[in-house]
Amino acid sequence: MKLLLTRLSLRYPRLVLLLALLATLAFALQFPRVHFDNDPENMLAADEPVRQFHHQVKQKYALYDFVIVGIVNESHPAGVFNVDTLGRIDRLTRQLLHLQPAAGAVGLHLPGEPEVRLDLAPQSGWQRLLNRAFNHDPNRLFTADGTSALVAHELIAPSVVDNIKQAELGSLRLEYLMEQPPHTEAQARVIRDDAMGNPLYAGTLVSEDERALCLYLPIVDKTFSHNVANLVRHLTADWPAQDRVLITGLPVAEDTFGVEMLIQMATSAPLAGLAIFALLWLFFRSLALIVAPMVVALLSVICAMGLLIGLGYDVHIMSSMIAIFLMPIAVADSVHILSEFYDVYPRFGDKKRAVEHVIGHLFAPMLYTSLTTIAGFASLAFTPIPPVQVFGLHVAFGVAVAWLLSMTLIPAYIALAVSEERLASRQLLPAGAAAPATLLTGPLVALGRLTQRRGGAIGMLTLILLVLAGYGISRISVNDNPVKWFSPQHEIRQADAILNHHFGGTYTAYLTFAPLKPEGCGCDEKAQRIAAALQQRFGASRPAETAVLLETLQRLSAEQRRLAGCDVNRCFFELLQQAEQLDRGFLAGWAALADALQYLDPVGLDGERLRQELAAAGVLAGSEARQLLTELAAGPPVTGEALLDTALALCERHSQASFAALVLEQQAETTAPPFKRPEMLRYLEGLQQYLQQVPQVGKSSSVVDALKKAAYELSYREPPVGGSAAEIELYRQRNAAHFAVPATAAATAQVFVQLEGMKKKDSLFHLVTRDYREANLWLQLKSGDNRDMEQVVAAVEGYLRQNTPPQELVTGWAGLTYINVVWQDKMVRGMLSSLGGSFVVVLVMMMLLFRSPLWGALAMIPLSVTIALIYGIIGLVGKDYDMPVAVLSSLTLGLSVDFAIHFLQRARELCRTGQDWPASCAAMFREPARAISRNAITVAVGFTPLLLAPLVPYKTVGFFLATIMTVSWLATLLLLPVLVRLLRRWLFPPGAAEPKGE
């Protein structure tokens, strides 16, 4: 049965080749439908809650992904705040705001200047060819309806952001930070001072060392970011060297990685094929013989990618690696077949008999090695990351195709293309004779002797390595950062480092706040707050009236509790009526007292005479007069006109302190939306102050920053010209005192009204909703590492636990930095769980293959040792457990067990002939070990071109795959002979063919 496919292929080779080509053609015809997806956000399903919340936040606060353009000037004494640099920045801003679509190019039309056409296509013919192959248009800077990819009204640059500055006392100017580019250094310094004096700009728009300035270019979709970055490079190509232009940001990093990934896909796979071809030539020295494995690899890649495209899947970051993964794996079975065929042909002298012999004893191990590899990749279907699922299943399909082609195409090819005359050059050997020696024979024979003579040392060394690996595994840190997918020399990586040094951070996260209860505080809470305010303000001075008003308040609160809802307006109306009634008598008494004081003669007026005059006027009997005299006596002694003025001022203060005024004030305070309430804004301010102490946070911005700056400007008073130092200091202290959250909700609302009327009206609502019920805290992080984002989240959660907000809040995280944490965490956890599940599946498969739990467990030893050592190395060298390392877990499982299957299956066959173990072991280290070694070397070398890649994930895959092959090869050839020797009593029980001794 196992030779059915082989015999059919040998009998009808042309038909097999024709069917293979037709099937491949069918898959290849899907390629024109290819669509590429470079967005790591799509690692999460579209209905993933965190992803949906992220988009809700962007929509609610009108947030966009942006390209960060940094301009750094380290040479000028004024840094970037010099006339020339600011002029260039202003011109770049205007250019970006005046883009126009043009056929095959980008139009640029500044007012008063002729239109310019820019062609952003690369000059290299190879780059142009790749752009055409991958449907990438470098001039794509407009949407389908011709709208610019840049959201012009949201662009953040000195020329288009508000300058929060006083126009006159109580009002703000309507102007941009840089209305016109400066013509003098003095004008440049004014722009610098205005920018540095605004907490929203310092550390975000301009660096605090004044050496750098950032433009934030909002884009309608992340897929435009790479082209926008290229446009900026083109527009600034003629800038002088002292104005260094740096471009970074997660959207740029992710989109650029996607573009360079496609270039890598187009170069690494052919290089891998070339490396494998050269190695096979070294092994077999026959061009006709080694073409077949390359054809198998090529057809497997075409079928896998064609299926993916035909099913409507995008070629994502993960699926771009399918060709690179499949190329070396697909040749594995072919190399085994050719290696055995090459070695045994001289024994048969007939290629058909030789092929049948090779397939006969390789069928089972090749089937099971392919099945284990398929199981390893198919296990990725159980991860919660859609692109990883697609990647795993299609690689598994490609491996299945490679096995089928190895069983059919290779025999058919040998029957047709490998001539008997060419094979006749191989000297025929008598039956049972060993194949001629090769370069690998001597080292492998020596390795076999080592396993028999130094088994104890090998076992001890393995245990020591496993202990070290365990320590390394304990040090593994799960972490990733898309910017670190580029090499340290890449311009994006360098820009990221420089700008994060100058600014608060180029990585963005958003922390949102919303009230748990839509109505804010309930009726009972409002009543408690009003009661507390009444007691504080009037409890001592008007106790009887306060008690009456408190009784009314309690009655209204009790009535509302009995009703279905809370009619706040009705409650305040009735309370206000009661307050006004109580105020009438009180205010009348103070009004009468003030009238009496108006008619007094201040000459010779002292405390005793004042008492007499009030008695004569008939007002001394009232409580107001007694309170007035008590307060006057408690103050500094004054007489005459000063005494009269003080008494009138006290009457005025008491007249204004009415119950009605307090009720109206409390109505404004308790019904104000959460983020117009001073206590809530101060809570947000406290959180920002705490975050400044968190090392990972470079800066945070909130509506509080805008509020404090506006309150400061609205109340600012210029110190008098020529004033003394003491006077100037008093003015400074008074002005600084207003750089704070206003004391009342009413005052806060008045400042917000001013901010809403600024020139760039919507800027405020990036930080707070228009109804002021929800707020957004913008965090800038200096690192995009997952662990740093996780530490920030933990710090915020700790603060929220220890500091209860004035009103119960619901918090949520958004932003690309946080999104990356979520999908990468899901990926790592999914990979680990799929690795565990696949390990069990492969173990069961091994038990079924060998029909023995012991043999099955033995086959898992090299796999287990390889996994332990590989992850131990990762921990010991400090390599983060990131996306490429996580993907390698499935490949480790599939490939590491292959060699063990071949070794143990051949060992059992040899032992069944009745040879003793030393003889069987010696035979194992000839043809079988050569085939295993050729396979290991071929697959390892097939991945080495990845080491030349400019992208770190490709380097990681190339290095660790070569390491996996080496470790699993050594574990198979060193450990298994030792273990078989130790366990031979149980592996070859009495009654079965077994070794006769040592």
Side-chain angles (χ1 to χ4, degrees):
M1 182 65 182
K2 60 185 179 182
L3 291 176
L4 177 62
L5 288 174
T6 301
R7 286 170 179 161
L8 286 174
S9 301
L10 292 171
R11 183 175 299 176
Y12 307 106
R14 289 182 175 81
L15 178 61
V16 168
L17 291 177
L18 178 62
L19 291 175
L21 290 175
L22 289 175
T24 305
L25 179 62
F27 285 112
L29 290 175
Q30 306 301 318
F31 276 56
R33 299 170 51 195
V34 67
H35 182 267
F36 297 95
D37 178 11
N38 304 334
D39 189 358
E41 187 180 322
N42 289 328
M43 287 288 194
L44 294 173
D47 59 353
E48 184 72 31
V50 68
R51 187 175 179 185
Q52 291 183 330
F53 181 75
H54 169 73
H55 288 286
Q56 289 169 6
V57 169
K58 288 177 66 176
Q59 184 176 11
K60 183 178 293 183
Y61 295 99
L63 302 173
Y64 296 88
D65 297 310
F66 42 72
V67 175
I68 300 174
V69 179
I71 296 91
V72 180
N73 189 316
E74 302 278 5
S75 59
H76 196 283
V80 292
F81 292 101
N82 65 80
V83 172
D84 294 334
T85 300
L86 290 177
R88 294 186 193 100
I89 291 171
D90 177 75
R91 179 170 178 80
L92 174 62
T93 303
R94 290 187 293 112
Q95 287 174 326
L96 294 171
L97 293 175
H98 290 84
L99 299 177
Q100 296 178 350
V106 178
L108 180 62
H109 191 189
L110 290 175
E113 296 185 16
E115 184 176 356
V116 177
R117 289 169 57 88
L118 306 174
D119 185 5
L120 303 179
Q123 299 300 315
S124 164
W126 170 245
Q127 291 285 348
R128 287 176 178 267
L129 179 63
L130 289 178
N131 285 339
R132 181 168 299 178
F134 295 132
N135 296 327
H136 176 69
D137 179 8
N139 292 309
R140 178 178 167 264
L141 286 165
F142 302 89
T143 61
D145 61 359
T147 304
S148 172
L150 291 170
V151 186
H153 66 280
E154 296 292 354
L155 194 145
I156 301 176
S159 303
V160 289
V161 294
D162 284 316
N163 187 23
I164 303 178
K165 199 78 173 174
Q166 186 186 82
E168 57 186 25
L169 190 62
S171 64
L172 298 175
R173 292 182 192 171
L174 297 179
E175 67 176 15
Y176 289 136
L177 178 64
M178 187 167 69
E179 285 280 336
Q180 297 293 333
H183 299 289
T184 66
E185 296 301 327
Q187 292 175 339
R189 286 194 293 272
V190 170
I191 295 171
R192 177 201 64 188
D193 294 342
D194 287 346
M196 299 302 292
N198 191 324
L200 290 173
Y201 301 156
T204 300
L205 181 65
V206 295
S207 66
E208 295 181 1
D209 62 4
E210 303 175 9
R211 298 292 170 188
L213 188 149
C214 268
L215 309 183
Y216 295 83
L217 313 183
I219 47 181
V220 295
D221 190 87
K222 283 181 287 187
T223 58
F224 288 103
S225 57
H226 178 73
N227 286 356
V228 169
N230 281 339
L231 171 67
V232 173
R233 292 187 190 100
H234 190 95
L235 294 174
T236 59
D238 60 347
W239 284 23
Q242 61 264 29
D243 283 337
R244 188 176 180 185
V245 179
L246 304 165
I247 305 173
T248 189
L250 273 180
V252 174
E254 293 170 353
D255 196 33
T256 301
F257 180 85
V259 172
E260 295 190 9
M261 167 198 76
L262 299 178
I263 297 173
Q264 194 61 47
M265 183 175 70
T267 55
S268 291
L271 284 175
L274 184 62
I276 293 171
F277 184 87
L279 193 62
L280 292 178
W281 169 260
L282 182 65
F283 286 153
F284 303 117
R285 305 285 180 167
S286 171
L287 183 62
L289 203 60
I290 63 178
V291 166
M294 304 309 301
V295 171
V296 168
L298 180 61
L299 298 188
S300 301
V301 169
I302 293 174
C303 290
M305 294 302 297
L307 178 66
L308 182 145
I309 297 167
L311 291 177
Y313 292 110
D314 293 339
V315 176
H316 200 266
I317 294 172
M318 290 297 305
S319 47
S320 72
M321 290 185 171
I322 288 177
I324 300 166
F325 273 75
L326 264 182
M327 187 69 70
I329 298 171
V331 302
D333 287 340
S334 303
V335 170
H336 265 296
I337 293 172
L338 292 178
S339 181
E340 290 283 332
F341 177 80
Y342 187 78
D343 287 339
V344 305
Y345 177 80
R347 196 184 306 163
F348 292 92
D350 181 85
K351 60 183 180 182
K352 291 189 177 181
R353 288 175 55 207
V355 168
E356 288 183 358
H357 170 79
V358 170
I359 299 294
H361 71 260
L362 285 183
F363 180 84
M366 286 195 302
L367 174 62
Y368 276 87
T369 55
S370 296
L371 288 176
T372 55
T373 304
I374 289 170
F377 282 104
S379 67
L380 299 181
F382 299 101
T383 64
I385 308 296
V388 175
Q389 297 170 356
V390 172
F391 166 78
L393 290 174
H394 285 84
V395 173
F397 174 75
V399 173
V401 171
W403 177 85
L404 181 61
L405 291 174
S406 298
M407 294 295 103
T408 56
L409 191 65
I410 296 296
Y413 178 85
I414 292 175
L416 280 179
V418 181
S419 66
E420 294 280 5
E421 291 75 13
R422 184 181 296 274
L423 291 172
S425 62
R426 303 279 292 164
Q427 183 180 0
L428 294 180
L429 298 174
T438 66
L439 290 175
L440 292 174
T441 303
L444 290 175
V445 169
L447 192 64
R449 293 196 191 103
L450 179 67
T451 62
Q452 297 304 299
R453 295 174 182 174
R454 296 288 185 266
I458 292 172
M460 184 59 66
L461 178 61
T462 302
L463 289 175
I464 293 172
L465 290 175
L466 288 176
V467 170
L468 289 174
Y471 172 70
I473 291 171
S474 69
R475 297 184 56 190
I476 285 179
S477 172
V478 178
N479 186 47
D480 207 350
N481 180 353
V483 171
K484 291 183 179 178
W485 294 348
F486 299 95
S487 65
Q489 295 75 33
H490 196 282
E491 59 182 343
I492 288 180
R493 188 88 174 264
Q494 292 184 338
D496 180 76
I498 294 171
L499 294 182
N500 277 298
H501 169 73
H502 284 286
F503 291 90
T506 61
Y507 298 91
T508 298
Y510 302 108
L511 177 60
T512 63
F513 299 86
L516 181 63
K517 300 176 182 177
E519 294 301 322
C521 58
C523 285
D524 285 342
E525 187 180 347
K526 288 183 174 69
Q528 291 170 8
R529 293 179 62 175
I530 296 170
L534 280 170
Q535 288 285 11
Q536 181 180 2
R537 191 174 301 182
F538 297 112
S541 60
R542 301 172 66 182
E545 294 151 303
T546 299
V548 172
L549 197 56
L550 285 173
E551 183 180 347
T552 303
L553 181 62
Q554 292 170 359
R555 175 180 58 79
L556 291 171
S557 180
E559 288 177 358
Q560 293 302 316
R561 277 197 298 270
R562 290 194 296 270
L563 299 175
C566 178
D567 189 347
V568 176
N569 292 330
R570 176 178 169 276
C571 289
F572 274 112
F573 177 74
E574 291 192 22
L575 196 62
L576 182 61
Q577 283 185 318
Q578 180 66 64
E580 289 174 342
Q581 183 178 345
L582 293 172
D583 282 338
R584 288 192 190 101
F586 173 76
L587 295 179
W590 283 104
L593 185 59
D595 287 342
L597 290 172
Q598 293 283 357
Y599 293 102
L600 294 183
D601 184 0
V603 178
L605 186 66
D606 58 14
E608 182 57 32
R609 185 184 160 198
L610 177 61
R611 180 184 296 274
Q612 295 172 1
E613 292 287 348
L614 293 178
V619 294
L620 185 60
S623 61
E624 294 83 2
R626 292 195 298 273
Q627 184 174 349
L628 174 67
L629 294 172
T630 301
E631 292 181 8
L632 288 171
V638 289
T639 59
E641 190 168 349
L643 174 61
L644 187 58
D645 288 344
T646 302
L648 286 170
L650 287 172
C651 289
E652 178 67 17
R653 180 168 64 83
H654 283 291
S655 296
Q656 292 178 350
S658 67
F659 284 121
L662 183 139
V663 170
L664 290 173
E665 177 188 310
Q666 286 300 308
Q667 183 178 19
E669 295 294 322
T670 57
T671 59
F675 292 96
K676 276 187 179 178
R677 289 167 48 189
E679 63 270 25
M680 187 65 79
L681 293 166
R682 292 191 192 101
Y683 180 82
L684 190 56
E685 181 184 29
L687 173 59
Q688 286 186 261
Q689 292 170 353
Y690 167 76
L691 287 172
Q692 287 304 110
Q693 303 169 14
V694 177
Q696 293 78 16
V697 178
K699 187 190 174 186
S700 64
S701 302
S702 77
V703 68
V704 176
D705 298 308
L707 176 69
K708 289 162 61 177
K709 172 64 175 173
Y712 172 84
E713 292 293 341
L714 288 169
S715 303
Y716 181 81
R717 291 183 181 274
E718 189 74 31
V721 178
S724 66
E727 264 188 307
I728 293 173
E729 177 60 20
L730 284 174
Y731 269 86
R732 188 196 67 77
Q733 292 178 4
R734 179 207 172 274
N735 289 333
H738 287 94
F739 194 83
V741 175
T744 66
T748 300
Q750 290 173 4
V751 178
F752 278 138
V753 167
Q754 291 281 340
L755 285 170
E756 290 176 17
M758 295 298 289
K759 202 166 186 178
K760 201 166 185 177
K761 301 181 184 300
D762 292 336
S763 296
L764 179 68
F765 299 114
H766 296 318
L767 302 171
V768 68
T769 53
R770 293 182 183 274
D771 59 4
Y772 293 90
R773 299 194 60 78
E774 301 179 32
N776 174 35
L777 179 61
W778 177 15
L779 275 70
Q780 291 174 251
L781 280 63
K782 289 183 174 292
S783 165
D785 287 8
N786 287 1
R787 56 177 169 234
D788 291 333
M789 183 71 239
E790 288 169 348
Q791 288 173 353
V792 172
V793 172
V796 170
E797 290 176 349
Y799 182 88
L800 296 178
R801 281 194 303 270
Q802 296 172 10
N803 300 270
T804 305
Q807 181 178 337
E808 198 167 1
L809 296 172
V810 176
T811 59
W813 287 95
L816 293 182
T817 310
Y818 183 74
I819 288 284
N820 286 339
V821 171
V822 174
W823 75 254
Q824 288 161 3
D825 179 68
K826 279 180 170 288
M827 184 177 197
V828 169
R829 293 178 186 276
M831 291 292 187
L832 290 176
S833 62
S834 69
L835 177 62
S838 298
F839 188 92
V840 175
V841 171
V842 172
L843 175 59
V844 172
M845 291 172 65
M846 294 302 96
M847 292 178 180
L848 292 175
L849 169 64
F850 295 109
R851 296 179 175 85
S852 166
L854 181 58
W855 280 93
L858 189 63
M860 300 298 287
I861 297 295
L863 164 64
S864 303
V865 170
T866 300
I867 291 175
L869 292 182
I870 290 300
Y871 284 98
I873 291 171
I874 289 170
L876 289 172
V877 302
K879 168 68 180 172
D880 290 332
Y881 189 98
D882 53 14
M883 179 185 71
V885 172
V887 173
L888 288 176
S889 62
S890 60
L891 196 60
T892 305
L893 185 72
L895 292 181
S896 298
V897 77
D898 289 3
F899 302 147
I901 294 174
H902 281 284
F903 186 93
L904 293 177
Q905 183 72 7
R906 295 298 301 275
R908 291 181 75 180
E909 290 177 1
L910 288 171
C911 288
R912 288 194 186 103
T913 65
Q915 299 183 58
D916 60 15
W917 176 243
S920 299
C921 185
M924 280 298 302
F925 279 88
R926 288 188 174 275
E927 293 173 18
R930 277 202 301 270
I932 290 172
S933 300
R934 285 169 178 161
N935 208 330
I937 295 170
T938 301
V939 176
V941 170
F943 285 107
T944 53
L946 295 179
L947 298 175
L948 305 175
L951 302 175
V952 173
Y954 286 82
K955 291 179 183 287
T956 301
V957 169
F959 174 78
F960 279 105
L961 279 175
T963 307
I964 288 169
M965 288 295 97
T966 303
V967 173
S968 58
W969 172 73
L970 286 173
T972 299
L973 296 186
L974 285 175
L975 276 180
L976 287 185
V978 174
L979 293 172
V980 170
R981 179 185 176 194
L982 291 174
L983 301 173
R984 65 187 182 279
R985 181 181 305 173
W986 296 276
L987 292 172
F988 306 103
E994 57 179 338
K996 301 171 185 176
E998 278 200 47

